[in-house]
Amino acid sequence: MVNEKFKKLGTNRSAIRELFEYGKKLKEQIGEENVFDFSIGNPNVPAPTSVRESIYKNLNDNTVHAYTSAQGDVKVREKIASYDSAKFNLNLSADDIYLTSGAASALTIVFNAIYTKNAEYIVIRPYFPEYKLFIEASGGKCVEVDSDENFSLDVDKISAAITEKTRAIIINSPNNPTGTVYSKEQIFALCKMLSDKEKEFGGKIYLVSDEPYREITYGKEVVNPMCFYNDVITCYSFSKSLSLPGERIGYIAVSPKAEEKNDLYAAICGAGRALGYVCAPSLFQRVVADNYGKTSDISVYEKNRDLLYDSLTSYGYECVYPDGAFYLFVKSPGSGNSFFEECKKRAVLVAPSDDFGVKGYVRISYCVRTETIINALPIFEQIIKLFK
Amino acid sequence: MVNEKFKKLGTNRSAIRELFEYGKKLKEQIGEENVFDFSIGNPNVPAPTSVRESIYKNLNDNTVHAYTSAQGDVKVREKIASYDSAKFNLNLSADDIYLTSGAASALTIVFNAIYTKNAEYIVIRPYFPEYKLFIEASGGKCVEVDSDENFSLDVDKISAAITEKTRAIIINSPNNPTGTVYSKEQIFALCKMLSDKEKEFGGKIYLVSDEPYREITYGKEVVNPMCFYNDVITCYSFSKSLSLPGERIGYIAVSPKAEEKNDLYAAICGAGRALGYVCAPSLFQRVVADNYGKTSDISVYEKNRDLLYDSLTSYGYECVYPDGAFYLFVKSPGSGNSFFEECKKRAVLVAPSDDFGVKGYVRISYCVRTETIINALPIFEQIIKLFK
């Protein structure tokens, strides 16, 4: 007499989380140095030292652990609004920002806030598996659209999938799992098409831009779609930029140009409340404000990317060059799950692509110690030979 | 084109939160010392110094901000399970504990996890207003049952409200808003009745025990219903015991004797995942483990209670003596909201009882500086004269 849907979700954990738990146990059994865990996006680069300094400073204020306003401390929201406004040439105010317990809670809150009867939400394959889960938990239908051959946006395909039921498109650039960064031209084309579709259907189609990897790029510009389209909702997390994934801190930004801005923000507050989010963790609200615009040392990821990409492609692996995030999305040699299994046998843990909505790939998270990559390379070299 | 239900929830914030925001603005306008804010349960007593020491210690470990398992770090869960087992003579293991972002998230997760079609959840009037909201957000129906004249359990009335649709009873002892602590006899009688009802209907009726004030008592024993009934789910928060309300840290404990224990725990994991709770905040998971069993200096609350209770009753106010929590539930002199308004006019902020499901009372949160109470007493004395 429990909820069957949730029981199933709890029993069949995501393949990635399952692998993460398997890796933890394996490390206990055979030693951490013998497990090559590329399963999860748990940043290995520590948070900047300024994070610790900010924690020390804020602990001197006895009110630091108190409830904040439900939408987050106003000073923190002001800091984010003014910084993002300057960076992206926007006109955000504190009242456009809602602090969340990371990007996952930002997404669940947004999907609930914009849910209307029979709502459809378009995701771009391959996609972060929890999108589908969060969309369905809010009552919506997840509509999957393929990306192009380089894992970039195929605006025509997205356009073809839009109906009067479409309530939102979810994009994620830099992308998990592919590392693709959408170009300015692509974002512009998407926004133009969405504007036309809004006129055609006379309703609102929100562009939900999930941006936890915004700062994790190696030179390529990440475009803010709020510059080209009014109905944009940004979901952001400090998990990756400041290496704070366990602390659950992020935010939602509502475009100040969204026509329904006030209703939308109210619905976000209401959804957050109904889902049990009283406020984002208070100490880390202040910490991210103090550290806004800073990042962990992402040069480590760039070094890892170059090493892994160059080596794997030299062994014969096929992979689109990733401009951002810290994932390599590699075509599996052989058929079915055989490549994944051969890796797992040798304690090399990579995430199979099935959960991301496509078959025949694995995701390799390279937010690990460079040494782990160096030690795993001969194994990767050996495995591909099995399939030749 | 946003969700109307959530828009409404976001626009009409809870009266208590509204008052909290009003108080914040008023303090800016007329000075903090001139506002007597008894609106919200934001503990004024700082967290124990051992909390800060634990933060310092844990920051030396670079993995402290990493993702933990979704149900919480196993060492933290082991600590809670072994401590609670010893304290309440139970047999809890780490796999019965699920760490949450405070009690609000514990409740939303539980209500979702046990939701089956047409499920009814019984709450005892007066009750924490968000219960109804969380129940309805999960799809359930909130059934309100009156407490007895001393705000204790009326087991006959609860029994009469149980139907085959009843999926859970929510109790909260020490109680918000009344401060009542249910006696061992009452809990036992409730549990006995529930056992009989389970047999009568052949289904599961969960006793959801919401215990954020478990440690905030002034001598009276708080009974753990797991000792008397199998189908118990405890929702706990460290917000009050360790004065960490903004940090959002708590847990769910599933009775090891619950017949459906494994399914129930899986459904809790699934509901947490679907609601966007990736893991409870990682640093504070470790902090609460280090400080488990400790509390802030609750003697301050006892002093406040005695001062406020003795003074108000001496002025002629009517109030049931509170054995725990940090609230006084005072009968409003006069009719309607006139007492509340007279208080508000004088910058004395108390929560009207309507949101708690009963009319004619106000809740006075006395987790404030004793000086605030001392300075407000003459105002309370003056106001009651208006109604004589």
Side-chain angles (χ1 to χ4, degrees), chain A residues 1 65 246-247 260 275 277, chain B residues 1 65 246-247 260 275 277:
Chain A
M1 300 202 82
H65 304 304
E247 305 301 351
E260 298 183 319
L275 296 173
Y277 292 101
Chain B
M1 301 200 80
H65 305 304
E247 304 302 351
E260 297 182 320
L275 295 172
Y277 292 102

Side-chain angles (χ1 to χ4, degrees), chain A residues 1 3 17 21 24 52 59 65 67-69 113 115 130 167 240 246-247 260 273 275 277 282, chain B residues 1 3 17 21 24 42 52 59 65 67-69 113 115 130 167 246-247 260 273 275 277 282:
Chain A
M1 300 202 82
N3 188 285
R17 276 266 158 187
E21 299 295 334
K24 283 216 282 197
R52 186 194 291 223
L59 286 176
H65 304 304
Y67 289 120
T68 70
S69 298
Y115 174 75
E130 303 302 80
R167 183 64 43 250
K240 317 297 181 180
E247 305 301 351
E260 298 183 319
R273 187 179 164 199
L275 296 173
Y277 292 101
S282 55
Chain B
M1 301 200 80
N3 187 284
R17 274 268 158 186
E21 298 296 333
K24 283 214 283 194
N42 218 350
R52 186 193 291 225
L59 287 176
H65 305 304
Y67 290 119
T68 70
S69 298
Y115 174 75
E130 303 301 80
R167 183 63 47 249
E247 304 302 351
E260 297 182 320
R273 187 180 164 198
L275 295 172
Y277 292 102
S282 55

Side-chain angles (χ1 to χ4, degrees), chain A residues 104-373:
Chain A
S105 95
L107 291 164
T108 52
I109 290 170
V110 165
F111 294 158
N112 277 277
I114 62 177
Y115 174 75
T116 52
K117 204 179 166 198
N118 297 322
E120 294 181 354
Y121 301 76
I122 293 175
V123 299
I124 314 296
R125 237 176 343 220
Y127 59 87
F128 177 53
E130 303 302 80
Y131 288 165
K132 188 176 159 91
L133 184 66
F134 296 159
I135 288 167
E136 290 177 351
S138 77
K141 184 181 167 193
C142 180
V143 175
E144 303 180 10
V145 171
D146 283 326
S147 51
D148 74 9
E149 66 283 4
N150 297 315
F151 299 126
S152 270
L153 295 172
D154 187 326
V155 175
D156 289 340
K157 277 197 186 133
I158 299 171
S159 172
I162 293 177
T163 72
E164 58 184 3
K165 294 177 187 166
T166 305
R167 183 64 43 250
I169 320 282
I170 295 92
I171 60 168
N172 173 220
S173 170
N175 188 265
N176 172 12
T178 65
T180 308
V181 177
Y182 300 151
S183 69
K184 190 171 175 178
E185 290 68 32
Q186 284 201 307
I187 294 290
F188 184 77
L190 175 71
C191 291
K192 173 79 177 60
M193 182 273 289
L194 290 175
S195 297
D196 293 343
K197 286 285 178 186
E198 278 199 344
K199 279 174 206 144
E200 182 184 339
F201 290 113
K204 295 287 161 211
I205 304 173
Y206 287 105
L207 179 56
V208 177
S209 184
D210 179 29
E211 305 181 358
Y213 302 98
R214 193 165 65 200
E215 286 77 19
I216 319 287
T217 59
Y218 316 111
K220 190 156 175 180
E221 185 196 8
V222 176
V223 176
N224 190 322
M226 281 193 192
C227 303
F228 306 115
Y229 187 59
N230 291 344
D231 290 321
V232 175
I233 306 170
T234 306
C235 294
Y236 185 78
S237 166
F238 297 90
S239 293
K240 317 297 181 180
S241 58
L242 289 174
S243 297
L244 298 172
E247 305 301 351
R248 314 311 305 136
I249 184 81
Y251 69 84
I252 297 165
V254 170
S255 171
K257 289 183 283 180
E259 200 187 334
E260 298 183 319
K261 198 197 92 170
N262 293 339
D263 284 355
L264 181 59
Y265 192 83
I268 285 167
C269 291
R273 187 179 164 199
L275 296 173
Y277 292 101
V278 174
C279 63
S282 55
L283 170 61
F284 280 91
Q285 288 191 30
R286 300 195 194 188
V287 169
V288 299
D290 287 346
N291 288 278
Y292 206 66
K294 290 182 186 152
T295 67
S296 310
D297 178 11
I298 62 165
S299 72
V300 177
Y301 303 136
E302 187 168 13
K303 188 175 153 196
N304 286 355
R305 178 199 57 173
D306 292 344
L307 174 63
L308 196 59
Y309 179 83
D310 293 346
S311 303
L312 293 192
T313 51
S314 79
Y315 303 153
Y317 287 95
E318 285 177 56
C319 174
V320 165
Y321 186 75
D323 283 307
F326 35 53
Y327 306 110
L328 227 62
F329 202 58
V330 178
K331 209 164 169 41
S332 297
S335 64
N337 273 328
S338 50
F339 175 65
F340 165 74
E341 294 296 347
E342 290 297 335
C343 288
K344 196 173 167 190
K345 244 189 245 173
R346 292 164 178 81
V348 173
L349 307 181
V350 296
S353 66
D354 304 49
D355 267 18
F356 298 99
V358 297
K359 287 190 184 301
Y361 294 82
V362 297
R363 186 192 74 173
I364 304 179
S365 293
Y366 56 78
C367 50
V368 297
R369 285 185 308 145
T370 306
E371 201 189 328
T372 304
I373 298 174

